[in-house]
Each structure stands twice: as structure tokens, then as C-alpha cells.
Amino acid sequence: MPLRSVEFHVLLALAAEERHGYGLLQEVAALTGGELQLEPGTLYRALHRMLKDGWVAESARRPAADLDDKRRRYYRLTPAGRRAASAEAERLWRLVTVARAHRLLSRA
Amino acid sequence: MTEGTDVSCRSAAGAKADRRIAWWLVWAYPPRFRREVGLGLVDAIEDRMRARREAGASALGARVPAILDTMRNAPAEWMATLRATLGVRLKPGTTGDGNPPHEMSGFSRTSGGRTVIDKLMQDVRYALRLWKRRPGFALVALLTLALGVGANTAMFSIVNAVLLRPLPYAHADRLVVVWGRQPGNPRSLMAYREYDALRAQNHTFDELSVFLGQSVNLTGVSEPQRLLGNFITGSLFDVLSLKPERGRLFTDAESQPGRAKTVVVISHDFWERTFNKDDGAIGATLTLNGNPLTVVGVLATPFDSRTVPADGFFLGYDVYIPAGLFPVPGGLTNAGPSMLMAGRMKSGVTLSAARADFDVITKRLEISDPKSQAGRSTNLELAHETLVGDSRTGLMLLLSAVGAVLLIACVNVSNLLLARAVDRQREIALRAALGASRLAVTRQMLVEAGLLAAVSAGVGLLLGRWSLQALTWLRPPNVPIPAEIALDQSVLLFTAGIAIVVAVLCGLAPALRTSRPDVSRVLQTGFRRGSGTGGRTRDVLVVAETALSVALLAVSGLIVQSMMALQHVNVGFDTANVFTLQFRLPPAKYPKPEDIARFFKQTIERVQAVPGVQSVALVRRVPFSGNWGDTPFVVEGRTAAAGSEPRAGQNMISPDYFRAMRIPLLRGRDFTDRDDLQSPPVVVVNQTLARTIWPDDDAVGKHIKVPESPEWLTVIGVVGDAKHRTATEPALPQLYLAHYQVPLIFSSLVARTAVPPMSIANDVRRAIWSVDKDQPVWSVASLDDIVARSHGSARFLASLLAIFSGVALALAASGIYGVMSYSVTERTHEIGIRLALGASAGRVLREVVGRGLALTSVALLIGIAGAAGLGRLARGVLFGVTPGDPATLAAAAGLLALVSLAACYIPARRAARVDPVVALAEE
């Protein structure tokens, strides 16, 4: 079964660094060139599911004090989340290979 | 600068509001979700709103997407939570903590087991499949229940509309009807001067009024008409908080006797009917009872009067006329008790406080005017009670009857489900043995019962609506059922409640039965059905329903007997072949008694000439027509304290009345044409009056005096007793005055005919119009119909109860048959063995029937006890039969015993004919 799109995007957005909720929304938008504009509710439902599944966790660390808004909650990727993301990436990669073999993809 | 500050202030306020909104929105999510990520979500929502504002969006533009987002995601999260919780709880294998099985597979997160909703849907589908496989079962069960629910919905709608809903006036709970109380009559009319005194001196009422509905003649139009008039004091409009729809209403000052204005207020219906809703009606002149009255307003009906019980009590009239114009000799102020009184109590005043207040005033009246006020006080009751109080017993009885029918229906369906559950017992036990949850089977039973209840409640609601329509068509005139009964919230709630009761009653026994199957025993019995299983429960159910039907049957029997007793009461006159009608002469046209007497004499002569008429007479008040009056009288040579004089029903009649009515003349003579205004006044009394006043003496030749007549009246004859108001009243003293000596404008005509009475109606009308072409007549009816109509509510009650108990009997019979037949099928094998071993068929037959009768006799005992209780409830509507009437109880029990014997006999005969070879080969 493929991973849900929202969740895969959130995992990708967390791959580089820990982020807080609104930061995630912005990063997802950036990753997709502005195509996927998640709303907070959708994001947090995905986050909530992945928290329960142990794919993401709340981060104890905070960025430098001057940048930090005290109340923000930051999230990080867990090893399980990393495995799930890479499994999905693998799956997509295999699909891309197939697509390319059938000349569905013009770029290299 | 100032501008910038302003903007920043505003945006600070806006940001605060945004945060508040974000908090509110997050509240829409499930609690656990809020605990775990709620704060983050609040921040994110707020951040997103701020970002949108900074990008130039308006406050609305920033907030609406946040709200839409919540509307989409919060319900989805709730559903997910619900599925997860229920799914986990019902699936013991799942741990429910953070290590779900799907993590192993990596990506699957939708499984998590079937949720309760899935399971319920599966149960529903399963139930529907069962019904499809056995449509007969489903149809019988559904129809039985739907009939029960429908009857209950219909009856409750009526009870709700009549007994539970307040009257549709403002402050209806404070509306009070005031009756005059005097010895022997707690509900007499009130005198206008009593009204004056009470209105001026009371401290407990916002407003008091008197009124009296009376027909009025409308003349000066194309054809004379009789209108329903209500003579009222202007204060009645205030008592009922009524408003004009056009024009104005009249005031209390304008309705006062002696100073009454010649105005009239018309009803909305009359306005529509006569003036076609033309505003020109205001200012028009209506000639009523010969007086030209100016229409000043149209009364706005405060409600749809067709939805109100007994709407005719206050409203339901065509024209509202000032009380001061009430046609009574000597004027209303000097008249005796002649009006109804109603008032609205002050807020917070109790009925007993108002009673005490009125008692003080009537006591003062009695002291100041001992002659006319002696013994008189008042009797206050809530208007709602006056209107519907009499119908309470009957309605509650009907409601209990339909309740019993529904219970019986539930028991039958429960039995059907139980029988099937027992059929499936082996399968269930097998599944339990293999580790399946018993809960699943029980749940399936409950779901099926719930489904039955839901479907039958839906169908029942429709049936209830239809039968209500039928009931309102049957509605007898003296039962205060509104012509239109709204399906309101209370009725819907009631039906929903009924559905739940049905589901529980139908599902409980089968569910309990299947929840604890004895696995080893059931499996040991092999492929045969376990004999006797579920038998005890079924026995209890069948006893319950039989007992209920006996009780219902017995009470219906009592009511039907009362009904028959009513019809066979000797009313004292012969109702067959008597034609009647009523009329009222306009006082302006007939100012002198001589004019009235002349009209009377001519009318009698002309009607006498109509072919088919045997004898004809005039009478002020036709028995059973609802018109009634009584009077105190003084007996010559005896003194009685004021207020404690003997009283008698009073009537004015023309000669030949007794002959036309076939009331026997026992002594003396009848009135003749010569007993008129010129001759000495005479009176005829009935047997009861003669016997009570002159027990040892001949009444003829004695003298009495009534308030209307200054002279002594000579008793010239004694006639047989005749009932006047109801067939149930005891024999009352009655006196008859000569109509020619007391010619009043209102009268009725009675004619004994040799032909069907209604066939002469047109000829009689023409005969009256030949005397006065403008004279309207009404209430044209045969005496048979008038008397029958007075039994309307009794017949209504009796026929409905008879229907309900018939249904109950049929249901009980099918229940008994079902149980006996099932137990025979179940025991086929055993019976086969016994027959093979030499038992006689007769013995088998006797045994099966015996078991059925044993159950029935237990049920009969319980049922009879129940009937005694229900009978007590019915006491108020019984006539000529006691609640515990042994014959009725025995008849009900006997009928049920017969029915159950028949219901047992058919399966018993089948048992006796069991072929041992076939029965044993079944294994």
C-alpha cells in the first residue's frame, strides 16, 4: 500500500531538519513549488497519526533562543519514519523507472 | 502617525481575535487529538491567518479558510477516533497502544480490524437477508408491529391534542371558567349582576367576562339565515387576549346592558364567507334578531381553530354581539343566571386563592340580596378542565388499550425471533465452541429487533396519520377531538420512544436466550433440535399476551355493555318517527306575547296539514338537544328557606306534545288551546315530582309557583318521567308550562309522522314560511338521531375498544397457535417414539391440548385480575354494569379459552397424526 501523499510530503519536509507546524506548511509548499498548500488541520491530522505510529516525534531540542518562540513545538523524523519515507521513495523510484521505460518521462 | 497607530492597534486587536478563533476551532477536534497536538495546531492556524493577512487578505479572507479547514478535518478526525476506539475495544487481539500491526508492513494504516460500524452494517445486511429468505416472517412481524405503533401514534396524537397541549390562548394556564354553584347544581349559569359584583370586587383576576352562544337570525339578505352568535361582554376579548384583524373590537363599556352600542364583531370565517374578505365589511350593517348592527371589526383567530379541542366553547361563532343586546325579557341586568363566565387570573394566583376570593364576594351578595342569591356561590375550574375533563377517562382507557395491543404485538414478534434463535442454536453453539464470540450472535438479534422496530415505527407513523384521519371523520360531535391533529414534536418523540420499547421488548428474550447457549448439551443432541429449549421463555411470553388480551377483552366487554345499556334505557318517550326543528322569532318583529302565540298557533295548524304528520307540537327544549333549564318552585301551603326550595326541570309545551312524544298521561288532562294568556295559569308535572312533593296525595288540583309567574299555577295533569339531558340521569322532577301562557321567542317543533320523519322536512319548512317568509329554521333532525348523537362518545369509545380488543384477540390467538405449533414440531421425534411404543393418538392429542390449556388458565387468572384493575379506571364511563361484573369477566375468559383451545387443537391434531416411521427416519 502506498503511503498517503500528505504524510510522505511531511516526512520529506522533516528529512532535512526539525520544524514546527507552520514551518512544515511552508516547507511542503516550497518542496512542491507552491503546488501543495496544506491547511493546518490536514497537516496536524497527519502529524497526529504519525506521532501515534512513531514515525515522527516531538523534539526536545530548541533552536537558538533568539529565534525561538517559546511556545512552538518542533517535530523530528524517527528512524521508523525515515525507513517508511525511504521505502515510499523506493517504491516511487521503481514506478518512475517503469514510467521512463515506457517513455512517459521526457527528462533524464 | 495617528493613522499608523490606529492600524497597529487594529491589527493587534485582530491578532488577538485570530488567536481566540484558532482556539475555538481546535475545540472542534476530539479530546485526545487536542491533548496531543492541539497547541501546535492552534499555532499553525494562527500563523496561517497572520500570513494571509500580511499577504493582504481581509480579516474575513484570512479566517474563512481556517474555518473551512476545520469543518473538513475535525469531523474526519472524530470518525477516525470513533472507529479506532470501538474497533480496538471490540477486537481483543489488538493492544491499542502505539505498536499497531501495520507498522510491520510499513504502509498499511487503514486496517485495524472491522469497526463496530462495519459489524453493525453487516448485521443489518444479515437481517435483511434473513427477511428476504423468509418474507412471510418479516411481513407478519413488521405488519404486527406497525399496526401496534400506528394505533399508539394515533391515540397519543389525540391525547396530546386534547389533554396535554394547552389551550391556544395567551396565558392559557390562567384561564378559568366560573360556574354558579347552587344546591343540586354545581354547574349553573351566572347572572349578569353577579358578574358586575365579581368583576368590581375581586382581587385575583386580570379580567372577567360573561358570554353566551345563541343562534341569531340574519335578515335583510337574500334569504333568512341562522347565524351562530355569541353575546359577550367586551372584556371577553381581553380575557382571551384576542386582537382584531380589521377594524376594532368593542369594549366592556360598549357591551353594558342599557348602554350597549349597536355594534358587532364578525369572525374571520364569516368575513370570508359573506364579505369575501372585503375591507368594506367594516361599517356595513347586519340585521341580527331584527336589530341593525354596525360591523366594527373582524376578529383575528389566534390559531387555527380546527386544531383545538371543543373550539366552539369560546370561539367558533359567526358574530360577536354586545351582551347588553342579549334578548331576555326585562333586560340582562334583571335576568337570573343566564350567562357563562370566564376570566384570566392574575399571574401567580392559585385557583384556591381565586376560589376564596370569590367565596367572600358571593357571601356578601347573599347577605345583600338573600332572595335571589340564597345558597348560591361559585365553582371555579381551569378552562382546560372544563373543555376536556370529561373525555379524560375515555382517552386514557383507549391509550391503555392500544398500549396493551402493542405489548401483545411485541410479545408475538419476540416469540417469532425466539423460535428462530432456537432453530439456530446448534449453529450458534458450534460457532461458540469454535471460539466465535457469543456477543456477535446476541448483537445480531438485537440489531434485527432494532431494525424491525425502526421500520415498523416508520410504517406505523404513516398508519397512525391515516387512522387519525379516519378517526376525525368518525368523530362524534360531543367528543372534543380537534378536526385537525398536528403531528408535532411530542408525537414524534412518543413514536420514537415506542420504537425503542418495541426493540427492547422484541429483542430482549431472544438475545438473552442466545447469549448463554449450553454448548455441550446442544451439541450432544446431535442433528435433532434440542427439545424443550427456549420453551420456558416462550411459555411466559404466551401467558403474558393471553393475560393482556383477557384484560382488554373484559374491559371492552364492560364498555360495550354500557353502550348497549345506554341504548336500551327507557327514555320515557318514543324516539321513532319524530321530526324536529328549531327556530327563534326576532323580538323586534314579535314584540308582544300575543304575536308570538299567534305565530305558534298558525304554525301548528299549517304543519298539521302536511301529509304524513300525525300530531304536532311546540316545545321550548327538545329532550337530548342540549337545551335544558331548571327552576326553583314554591309549593302552596309549605315554606322553604330561600335557596333551598325544591327544583325541577322546566319546559314549555303546546297541547299535543305528550301525544307527539308518546309520553303517557297518568292523571288529569293535557293542555288545550284554551289554556292561553286569558285563562288561569296551569302546569303539568311528571310522576317523580308528584311523588316527591305529594307522596300521599293526588297532585292534580294542587298549586305551585315558579319565579317567572306571579300567580299560582294549578296542577292539571301528571305525566310519565322522561329523560332530558342524558340517558344515564336518574329520574328528576320535571314541570311543563303551557307555551301559550309563556310564549318565548325560542322554540322547537316536534311532529310525529306516519312516514320516515326526514321525508317531510321540506313540506314543514314551506309550511312555516307560509306563516312568516323570513323565519329561519335549523337543527332539522329526527329525534332518533338526536338521542343517538347523545350516545356519540360512548359509541366512539365502545367501537374503538371493540376494534382494539378484536385485534388483541387475533394476535393472542396467533401467538398461542405459534407456540403450540412450534413445540409440536420440536417434539415430532419424541412423539414418534412414543407412538411407535404404543401410545394412542388420542393421548398425544390430549397432552398437547392440555399443555396449551394449562398455560391459558394461568393467563386467564392473571388477566382477570388485570381486568379488575382496568375496570376501576373505566368506572367513570361505565353505565348499568359494575367494573367487576362477573358475567363479563367470565365471558371474556370463556372466549379466550375457546380461542386458545382452537389454537392448540390444530397443532395437537398434527402431533397425533405423526407417522412414527417418518419421525424416526428424520434422524
Side-chain angles (χ1 to χ4, degrees):
Chain A
M1 283 294 280
L3 188 58
R4 283 188 203 172
S5 161
V6 173
E7 298 171 8
F8 187 50
H9 280 93
V10 172
L11 291 176
L12 288 184
L14 286 175
E17 55 172 342
E18 302 172 2
R19 290 179 198 277
H20 59 67
Y22 187 61
L24 274 169
L25 293 178
Q26 286 175 310
E27 182 62 20
V28 168
L31 282 176
T32 58
E35 262 180 38
L36 185 58
Q37 289 276 1
L38 289 181
E39 286 298 325
T42 312
L43 168 73
Y44 268 87
R45 286 188 56 217
L47 267 180
H48 187 234
R49 280 194 295 266
M50 294 193 292
L51 277 168
K52 277 198 294 191
D53 291 352
W55 290 359
V56 298
E58 247 186 78
S59 171
R61 285 184 292 141
R62 296 281 188 228
D66 56 328
L67 294 173
D68 189 24
D69 181 342
K70 271 276 158 38
R71 56 170 211 256
R72 295 229 184 273
R73 263 146 241 278
Y74 284 78
Y75 298 97
R76 65 178 169 82
L77 215 52
T78 62
R82 194 166 285 279
R83 276 201 303 279
S86 58
E88 177 72 356
E90 284 282 347
R91 188 181 70 85
L92 290 176
W93 175 252
R94 281 196 299 277
L95 292 178
V96 168
T97 319
V98 175
R100 191 183 284 147
H102 291 290
R103 297 181 185 283
L104 292 169
L105 205 63
S106 52
R107 277 173 293 170
Chain B
M1 277 309 283
T2 41
E3 204 174 67
T5 317
D6 194 35
V7 166
S8 73
C9 274
R10 205 158 52 204
S11 65
K16 231 177 197 170
D18 281 351
R19 183 150 188 88
R20 217 168 36 238
I21 288 169
W23 273 105
W24 276 113
L25 291 177
V26 173
W27 262 104
Y29 287 87
R32 185 168 167 204
F33 181 87
R34 285 205 308 269
R35 249 190 336 269
E36 288 171 0
V37 294
L39 281 176
L41 181 54
V42 170
D43 289 341
I45 293 174
E46 198 190 344
D47 287 342
R48 175 50 61 84
M49 285 198 282
R50 187 179 326 127
R52 285 215 163 93
R53 276 168 185 282
E54 281 163 4
S58 65
L60 204 67
R63 287 166 189 174
V64 166
I67 295 170
L68 291 178
D69 169 42
T70 312
M71 280 167 59
R72 200 170 49 239
N73 281 299
E77 188 61 32
W78 271 108
M79 282 307 290
T81 313
L82 216 64
R83 270 169 185 268
T85 341
L86 295 176
V88 165
R89 191 166 295 160
L90 285 170
K91 199 167 179 290
T94 315
T95 48
D97 65 24
N99 199 18
H102 58 253
E103 201 191 343
M104 298 307 290
S105 66
F107 307 115
S108 159
R109 53 184 60 260
T110 49
S111 70
R114 287 185 306 135
T115 64
V116 147
I117 294 164
D118 295 333
K119 290 179 183 174
L120 287 182
M121 282 316 294
Q122 202 195 16
D123 287 338
V124 168
R125 279 193 297 271
Y126 183 71
L128 291 177
R129 257 203 320 273
L130 282 179
W131 293 1
K132 218 157 130 189
R133 214 164 56 205
R134 295 179 58 186
F137 162 81
L139 208 64
V140 167
L142 279 177
L143 214 62
T144 310
L145 289 178
L147 281 174
V149 174
N152 276 272
T153 302
M155 274 327 298
F156 179 77
S157 299
I158 294 178
V159 168
N160 177 48
V162 176
L163 298 182
L164 303 182
R165 268 210 308 238
L167 296 176
Y169 304 100
H171 313 298
D173 53 327
R174 281 150 49 194
L175 287 183
V176 169
V177 170
V178 183
W179 300 99
R181 183 198 294 280
Q182 60 194 34
N185 188 1
R187 273 185 170 194
S188 78
L189 296 172
M190 295 291 289
Y192 190 85
R193 35 168 210 283
E194 290 173 322
Y195 158 71
D196 258 350
L198 288 168
R199 185 159 185 258
Q201 297 172 31
N202 85 80
H203 307 292
T204 45
F205 277 74
D206 280 339
E207 191 52 282
L208 267 182
S209 62
V210 287
F211 59 100
L212 193 74
Q214 197 177 70
S215 23
V216 292
N217 296 340
L218 172 65
T219 48
V221 286
S222 52
E223 56 180 294
Q225 276 182 52
R226 170 245 191 174
L227 299 182
L228 295 169
N230 199 357
F231 291 85
I232 65 168
T233 55
S235 50
L236 182 69
F237 296 128
D238 300 325
V239 167
L240 300 177
S241 313
L242 301 176
K243 300 273 177 294
E245 183 178 344
R246 291 286 191 284
R248 64 178 185 93
L249 306 176
F250 53 81
T251 63
D252 203 62
E254 288 174 293
S255 63
Q256 276 180 21
R259 272 173 294 172
K261 296 276 185 1
T262 53
V263 293
V264 61
V265 168
I266 60 178
S267 75
H268 177 91
D269 283 354
F270 183 70
W271 183 45
E272 194 173 342
R273 204 167 66 223
T274 310
F275 294 97
N276 202 17
K277 286 199 175 182
D278 183 5
D279 283 341
I282 310 299
T285 302
L286 292 178
T287 306
L288 297 173
N289 283 352
N291 300 314
L293 303 181
T294 309
V295 176
V296 292
V298 178
L299 185 65
T301 317
F303 49 82
D304 179 0
S305 55
R306 291 163 58 75
T307 65
V308 181
D311 53 306
F313 191 74
F314 292 125
L315 300 178
Y317 295 92
D318 299 317
V319 289
Y320 297 84
I321 305 165
L325 302 178
F326 187 63
V328 55
L332 189 58
T333 325
N334 302 318
S338 49
M339 306 290 273
L340 290 160
M341 184 185 282
R344 193 180 70 232
M345 293 191 294
K346 287 184 172 143
S347 168
V349 169
T350 63
L351 199 56
S352 54
R355 282 190 183 122
D357 187 24
F358 272 35
D359 282 347
V360 172
I361 302 170
T362 49
K363 193 62 81 184
R364 269 203 295 263
L365 278 177
E366 196 176 345
I367 292 166
S368 67
D369 181 10
K371 197 161 160 280
S372 64
Q373 293 301 117
R376 263 182 82 79
S377 60
T378 53
N379 174 14
L380 278 64
E381 58 187 30
L382 290 175
H384 190 255
E385 188 62 26
T386 306
L387 291 184
V388 307
D390 290 344
S391 52
R392 181 168 290 123
T393 310
L395 286 178
M396 292 321 282
L397 207 59
L398 286 174
L399 196 61
S400 347
V402 291
V405 169
L406 182 67
L407 278 179
I408 295 171
C410 286
V411 166
N412 266 4
V413 172
S414 183
N415 247 332
L416 286 173
L417 288 175
L418 186 64
R420 223 188 36 205
V422 172
D423 274 349
R424 287 181 59 204
Q425 189 148 308
R426 230 178 67 82
E427 170 213 332
I428 293 163
L430 199 60
R431 281 171 58 185
L434 293 175
S437 119
R438 291 169 182 176
L439 189 65
V441 181
T442 309
R443 196 186 52 218
Q444 196 271 316
M445 292 279 159
L446 285 175
V447 165
E448 186 174 2
L451 201 61
L452 273 174
V455 175
S456 57
V459 178
L461 205 58
L462 284 179
L463 286 178
R465 293 300 294 163
W466 292 335
S467 49
L468 258 188
Q469 247 150 32
L471 279 184
T472 42
W473 287 331
L474 286 177
R475 176 177 77 129
N478 46 0
V479 176
I481 296 176
E484 272 175 19
I485 295 175
L487 185 67
D488 68 2
Q489 205 184 347
S490 340
V491 175
L492 287 175
L493 274 176
F494 176 84
T495 306
I498 285 279
I500 293 171
V501 170
V502 165
V504 171
L505 286 179
C506 292
L508 203 60
L512 285 179
R513 185 67 225 153
T514 50
S515 67
R516 41 179 171 75
D518 184 347
V519 176
S520 58
R521 202 174 68 80
V522 173
L523 290 181
Q524 274 166 16
T525 55
F527 287 96
R528 258 185 296 118
R529 270 179 286 210
S531 46
T533 46
R536 182 74 51 78
T537 322
R538 281 202 306 276
D539 288 352
V540 170
L541 289 177
V542 89
V543 164
E545 69 177 331
T546 312
L548 273 170
S549 347
V550 174
L552 191 50
L553 209 56
V555 172
S556 313
L558 291 175
I559 301 284
V560 169
Q561 257 181 291
S562 305
M563 171 68 211
M564 301 210 295
L566 268 183
Q567 277 172 333
H568 291 112
V569 162
N570 178 11
V571 289
F573 52 87
D574 180 4
T575 60
N577 282 343
V578 178
F579 169 90
T580 75
L581 61 73
Q582 299 181 13
F583 60 87
R584 175 186 303 282
L585 301 175
K589 199 168 178 182
Y590 295 88
K592 290 200 293 277
E594 290 80 6
D595 302 328
I596 300 173
R598 194 176 318 116
F599 174 89
F600 283 0
K601 275 194 171 144
Q602 283 179 2
T603 300
I604 289 174
E605 278 166 20
R606 305 270 167 93
V607 175
Q608 186 76 66
V610 169
V613 171
Q614 290 177 332
S615 52
V616 58
L618 296 180
V619 54
R620 168 120 156 95
R621 303 170 175 123
V622 174
F624 292 82
S625 65
N627 295 314
W628 184 80
D630 77 336
T631 177
F633 62 94
V634 178
V635 182
E636 191 183 33
R638 298 188 202 173
T639 50
S644 61
E645 302 98 342
R647 303 187 70 91
Q650 184 199 39
N651 217 343
M652 289 81 175
I653 57 170
S654 71
D656 263 5
Y657 173 74
F658 299 123
R659 198 150 72 88
M661 297 291 278
R662 297 207 173 132
I663 296 172
L665 181 65
L666 304 174
R667 295 192 47 75
R669 65 170 179 92
D670 188 3
F671 297 121
T672 68
D673 282 354
R674 285 180 301 283
D675 297 312
D676 59 13
L677 290 161
Q678 279 73 46
S679 63
V682 289
V683 62
V684 172
V685 300
N686 73 350
Q687 203 177 356
T688 300
L689 190 145
R691 205 168 30 223
T692 21
I693 303 297
W694 302 283
D696 313 313
D697 218 345
D698 189 356
V700 176
K702 299 285 189 301
H703 295 100
I704 62 172
K705 200 188 256 185
V706 293
E708 284 93 334
S709 155
E711 297 171 64
W712 287 102
L713 305 167
T714 309
V715 177
I716 54 165
V718 177
V719 293
D721 292 340
K723 309 266 183 195
H724 196 94
R725 283 176 295 180
T726 63
T728 55
E729 71 187 13
L732 294 169
Q734 167 93 27
L735 57 84
Y736 298 89
L737 303 175
H739 221 332
Y740 293 147
Q741 294 181 335
V742 195
L744 295 176
I745 54 169
F746 173 77
S747 195
S748 310
L749 180 138
V750 294
R752 176 157 298 276
T753 59
V755 292
M758 294 313 285
S759 67
I760 63 162
N762 283 329
D763 292 340
V764 171
R765 272 201 201 93
R766 268 195 294 277
I768 291 176
W769 287 338
S770 74
V771 180
D772 181 344
K773 66 174 176 49
D774 279 342
Q775 183 55 50
V777 298
W778 61 84
S779 294
V780 180
S782 72
L783 193 56
D784 264 338
D785 281 349
I786 292 175
V787 174
R789 209 179 301 153
S790 78
H791 300 152
S793 63
R795 182 176 304 139
F796 185 65
L797 186 62
S799 42
L800 283 186
L801 273 179
I803 293 173
F804 293 150
S805 51
V807 171
L809 187 65
L811 286 178
S814 79
I816 296 167
Y817 171 78
V819 166
M820 294 320 294
S821 152
Y822 188 84
S823 85
V824 165
T825 312
E826 202 177 41
R827 292 173 55 204
T828 303
H829 184 76
E830 175 206 329
I831 293 171
I833 293 178
R834 293 181 48 198
L835 287 172
L837 294 176
S840 75
R843 179 158 176 192
V844 169
L845 187 109
R846 274 198 303 280
E847 241 182 52
V848 174
V849 171
R851 191 171 98 81
L853 287 187
L855 290 181
T856 307
S857 19
V858 176
L860 292 184
L861 285 178
I862 301 173
I864 296 287
L870 260 179
R872 196 153 313 135
L873 178 65
R875 190 188 292 272
V877 289
L878 293 183
F879 172 73
V881 59
T882 57
D885 183 53
T888 311
L889 293 184
L895 182 56
L896 223 102
L898 274 181
V899 166
S900 89
L901 187 67
C904 294
Y905 181 72
I906 301 168
R909 218 175 46 168
R910 194 150 48 85
R913 286 184 184 168
V914 163
D915 181 345
V917 180
V918 176
L920 293 174
E922 262 185 7
E923 184 107 354

